[in-house]
Amino acid sequence: MYLDKAKKEEIFGQYGKSTTDTGSAESQIALFTYRIAHLTEHVKKNHKDNVTTRSLTQLVGKRRRLLDYLYKIDIERYRAIIKALGLRK
């Protein structure tokens, strides 16, 4: 499996407040970004996999909504996560 418990804890520890902080917007955005990168590679290899393409589109939408929420609530946290993940180039 591409995403095991140790990898999740690493992501949450790096971008969240702690390794058990699974609910903060930053940690969720980081997790979605990791999953989006994995699914993007899969779709590049399997271009006829429409189910995964749809899942990827939904995941990008979820991340976009979380980023919009973070932008409205605290723009400094938004800028920090964008810079850390390298989303807006």
Side-chain angles (χ1 to χ4, degrees), residues 4-21:
D4 57 352
K5 186 176 181 180
K7 184 63 180 172
K8 279 186 182 181
E9 286 180 357
E10 178 188 332
I11 290 170
F12 292 145
Q14 186 176 1
Y15 297 103
K17 296 176 182 116
S18 68
T19 58
T20 59
D21 178 28

Side-chain angles (χ1 to χ4, degrees), residues 1-3 10 12 15 35 67 76-77 79 86:
M1 190 154 89
Y2 79 99
L3 186 63
E10 178 188 332
F12 292 145
Y15 297 103
R35 289 175 60 196
L67 285 168
E76 293 304 318
R77 286 172 52 196
R79 288 179 180 154

Side-chain angles (χ1 to χ4, degrees), residues 38-57:
H38 176 75
L39 289 177
T40 301
E41 291 303 314
H42 173 80
V43 169
K44 283 180 184 177
K45 293 176 190 168
N46 306 289
H47 66 278
K48 291 187 178 182
D49 189 354
N50 294 322
V51 174
T52 304
T53 304
R54 182 174 187 271
S55 299
L56 177 62
T57 304

